[in-house]
Amino acid sequence: MEKKLMNISLILPKIVDNNYRGQNIAKYFFYVLTVITVVRSCIHLLSPDGGAESIATIPLTNYSEQASQSVILTFALWGLSQLIIGLFYTIVALRYKSLLPLMYIFLCFEYTMRLVLSIIKPIITEGTAPGSIANYIMIPLGILLFLLSINENKEKQII
């Protein structure tokens, strides 16, 4: 019989529960990512400019009032999407840790698509936005954390 490269049930478990089998470092890093995701979403939702100019360095003052408001709304809507993802991450972190490998796949997909879209649809900024740097860091880090999350920890897990 051929040995499977990866057991798909590590990513899509038949029973979704709080039994995480991977390396603890991936679990703890997921907690940090969850907090960062929720905080980042709140900044986009609550900041007067949605973080567009103050963080992403988009020169809103060079735009018409209507264009600036459109960018600010887009950033707020992005913050709402991030908050939904962050709340989903929180639920997984607190109750359904068996889904952590799947969350890392989503994370890798999100950051890969952010990078691809920033190349396909670039936007003029006055500086380097932290998010654009994070894209290059989070893709390889997400892959590493995914691999750690599917590498079963031989020690007894404490939930």
Side-chain angles (χ1 to χ4, degrees):
M1 264 190 189
E2 277 184 45
K3 184 176 179 182
K4 289 184 182 179
L5 290 176
M6 181 177 24
N7 185 348
I8 193 72
S9 67
L10 294 173
I11 300 168
L12 297 170
K14 290 182 182 182
I15 298 173
V16 177
D17 57 20
N18 216 19
N19 185 18
Y20 172 69
R21 294 181 162 150
Q23 299 297 312
N24 284 330
I25 186 82
K27 177 175 64 174
Y28 297 131
F29 201 90
F30 185 76
Y31 297 158
V32 172
L33 287 171
T34 299
V35 171
I36 289 170
T37 300
V38 171
V39 168
R40 181 181 62 191
S41 71
C42 291
I43 291 169
H44 288 303
L45 282 169
L46 302 174
S47 176
D49 70 346
E53 189 165 36
S54 60
I55 297 171
T57 71
I58 296 170
L60 295 178
T61 53
N62 295 347
Y63 300 171
S64 70
E65 180 67 26
Q66 295 85 358
S68 292
Q69 289 304 314
S70 295
V71 171
I72 291 169
L73 174 61
T74 301
F75 269 66
L77 292 171
W78 186 24
L80 176 60
S81 296
Q82 290 175 340
L83 182 60
I84 292 167
I85 292 168
L87 292 174
F88 189 64
Y89 283 3
T90 301
I91 291 167
V92 169
L94 295 176
R95 186 77 172 104
Y96 301 107
K97 290 181 189 73
S98 64
L99 292 176
L100 267 139
L102 180 62
M103 296 300 100
Y104 277 121
I105 289 175
F106 288 150
L107 180 129
C108 289
F109 178 72
E110 176 188 0
Y111 280 93
T112 299
M113 290 310 299
R114 283 180 183 211
L115 181 61
V116 168
L117 290 171
S118 71
I119 293 167
I120 295 171
K121 299 178 180 204
I123 189 164
I124 304 299
T125 61
E126 293 180 335
T128 303
S132 66
I133 296 168
N135 295 337
Y136 292 99
I137 296 168
M138 291 306 298
I139 296 167
L141 184 60
I143 292 168
L144 174 65
L145 291 165
F146 166 72
L147 292 172
L148 289 170
S149 75
I150 62 170
N151 183 8
E152 288 188 310
N153 189 346
K154 302 301 179 195
E155 298 173 13
K156 183 167 175 60
Q157 292 288 318
I158 299 174
I159 299 175

